Amino acid sequence: MSNLLSTNIAQLQLKTPTALASGILGYTAESLQLAAKGGAGTVVTKSVGVNPRPGYPNPTVVQAKNALINAVGLPNPGINQYTEEITYSKTLLKVPLIVSVFGYTAEEYALVSQKAADAGADAVELNVSCPHVKYTGSEIGQNPKLLTEVICKVKAATQKPVIVKLSPNVTDITELAKAAEKAGADALTVVNTVRAVVIDIETQTPILSNVRGGMSGPAVKPIALRCVYDVFEAVKLPIFGCGGITNWKDAVEFFLAGASAVQVGTAVASEEPSVFQAINRGVTSYLKRKGYRSVKEIVGLCHQA
């Protein structure tokens, strides 16, 4: 299975093309290891910033039809405390560790990235697309100038690969992808959650305490797939496809659209970490049935049609 599924992205060697998406299994080494043992080829932590942050009060997560809508508010212990967990995680994990970072300025992104790398992170993923926290995330990810500034600062602060997680909540995602490529990003994650609202008709008020949240799960898959398709045609950077992937057929669609690997999030919460093994087995069977020797052979294949 490993020969068929092994791939590389952003200088990271992955035994399988599936990854734990940021925001699902917490911050601990043990929770990340669950995903790795479940078959993930790499794991991405929840986002961490310069200072500790409590996040939003409940309710922070709502179940919708074929989707979850969340606005947890980037709760995290702060990078100074989290460096200990990064170092410990590296003693347990047999797969690359990617640390998701956020900040309110380019300097904060650079500082957190540098500390994460120094603690042992194999790469950093810049969360420039969180749809529910003001003055960070999407405000940066929607502005090519700000995005360029952040990436340049981070690249100057660390030698580790820099992955940029793009937002679907933009008019033209390819403009942001091009800006990221020009600024020196090593790879892209396409995409973060879709901005959404859900309302309680009895109380006649929004359910989430933050009102607006980010939608994930099967309902967003066609949107994410379109974004991967468009970005693949616009830039040469490798892509982590992300958004609504729950089974091997979803993963194959993302590979054909142009993703070199896929990140799985909401499905892990509903189907346990074994979802990675199920996806890996299905992709392996598909590759053998079609006569391919590597998953790399089908990346972007539908663009040749």
Side-chain angles (χ1 to χ4, degrees), residues 30-227:
E30 287 79 6
S31 62
L32 297 171
Q33 190 182 32
L34 280 177
K37 286 186 173 180
T42 182
V43 293
V44 188
T45 70
K46 296 187 74 169
S47 296
V48 62
V50 171
N51 299 310
R53 180 181 163 88
Y56 297 137
N58 288 323
T60 57
V61 180
V62 178
Q63 180 79 52
K65 188 174 182 180
N66 292 321
L68 284 179
I69 302 174
N70 87 85
V72 295
L74 297 175
N76 77 99
I79 188 61
N80 286 338
Q81 179 177 336
Y82 194 57
T83 52
E84 297 178 10
E85 197 67 28
I86 294 172
T87 301
Y88 176 52
S89 297
K90 288 296 295 177
T91 69
L92 297 181
L93 293 171
K94 304 301 182 185
V95 301
L97 171 65
I98 302 172
V99 174
S100 174
V101 306
F102 75 94
Y104 295 91
T105 65
E107 288 75 16
E108 287 193 4
Y109 274 96
L111 177 62
V112 178
S113 297
Q114 181 182 32
K115 290 189 175 184
D118 290 346
D122 295 296
V124 293
E125 181 181 82
L126 306 184
N127 183 354
V128 294
S129 45
C130 176
H132 52 73
V133 176
K134 291 182 178 179
Y135 312 120
T136 184
S138 59
E139 282 83 355
I140 296 170
Q142 294 174 346
N143 185 320
K145 183 178 179 181
L146 289 176
L147 180 62
T148 296
E149 181 183 1
V150 167
I151 296 170
C152 289
K153 289 279 187 184
V154 173
K155 289 292 292 183
T158 178
Q159 299 297 313
K160 297 293 179 67
V162 175
I163 304 161
V164 180
K165 191 169 188 176
L166 297 180
S167 172
N169 306 304
V170 295
T171 301
D172 184 358
I173 193 171
T174 66
E175 292 303 311
L176 285 307
K178 290 175 182 175
E181 182 177 52
K182 188 175 181 181
D186 297 287
L188 302 172
T189 298
V190 181
V191 286
N192 209 320
T193 55
V194 178
R195 187 172 293 168
V197 169
V198 60
I199 294 173
D200 185 327
I201 62 170
E202 298 302 325
T203 62
Q204 301 175 338
T205 58
I207 293 177
L208 293 171
S209 65
N210 187 59
V211 180
R212 296 170 184 81
M215 186 167 73
S216 61
V220 309
K221 194 193 82 176
I223 298 172
L225 199 60
R226 185 268 301 169
C227 290

Side-chain angles (χ1 to χ4, degrees), residues 16-29:
T16 72
T18 52
L20 173 67
S22 177
I24 299 300
L25 284 182
Y27 288 96
T28 67

